[in-house]
């Protein structure tokens, strides 16, 4: 499972599902990506459920994907890897 | 804007959109409802975006709505009201 491009209402979005052992871990990851989003002033959609988080990046201003979305996706992967690299 | 029943893949779900002034406030509400979910051992889907959180309750085991989902919806409203009752 890796990033895929989903088109919703004509808007291309970069999306990936991350899985966790429970709700608490999933919510912790949501917060980690939320902090990253705040620091970069670029905000994704974060769908938090029991044991999973779906992260969706796109650029509202251009209603589609910009280079920055791919950079944020890579940073999201790094955050996920870092959280489990103990 | 209040709770509405959305049917997805044949599963009835109780859903409401809550709006906030920025991403940080939205994420804070997600965490508040996440804590409520943990304390009740019943977990919603929480979609966090810039300035908004969509909360969706349903009961996985019965693939639909149970009395408890309506109780959780009411508790979600209380949490939202409490967060803005200063």
């Amino acid at each position: 499972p890796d990033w895929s491009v989903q088109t919703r209402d004509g808007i291309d979005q970069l999306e990936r599902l991350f899985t966790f052992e429970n709700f608490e871990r999933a919510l912790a990851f949501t917060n980690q990506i939320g902090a990253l989003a705040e620091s970069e002033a670029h905000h994704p959609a974060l769908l938090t459920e029991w044991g999973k988080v779906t992260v969706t990046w796109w650029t509202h201003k251009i209603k589609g994907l910009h280079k920055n979305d791919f950079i944020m996706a890579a940073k999201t992967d790094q955050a996920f890897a870092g959280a489990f690299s103990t």
Side-chain angles (χ1 to χ4, degrees), chain A:
Chain A
D2 207 340
W3 295 91
S4 66
V5 175
Q6 303 288 332
T7 305
R8 292 194 183 87
D9 299 328
I11 299 172
D12 284 347
Q13 304 179 321
L14 204 50
E15 187 164 285
R16 181 176 170 182
L17 172 68
F18 295 88
T19 57
F20 303 88
E21 64 192 36
N22 55 35
F23 184 81
E24 189 181 16
R25 284 292 194 103
L27 187 55
F29 186 67
T30 292
N31 279 288
Q32 194 177 353
I33 303 308
L36 171 66
E38 285 286 87
S39 72
E40 303 275 346
H42 189 50
H43 299 87
L46 296 165
L47 176 60
T48 311
E49 298 173 89
W50 196 95
K52 55 187 177 176
V53 178
T54 305
V55 181
T56 309
W57 292 102
W58 77 100
T59 300
H60 294 67
K61 197 165 58 179
I62 62 170
K63 294 187 178 180
L65 292 170
H66 180 270
K67 182 182 172 185
N68 195 36
D69 295 302
F70 294 87
I71 293 171
M72 295 305 285
K75 290 188 177 183
T76 303
D77 284 344
Q78 285 169 10
F80 182 72
F84 291 88
S85 66
T86 50

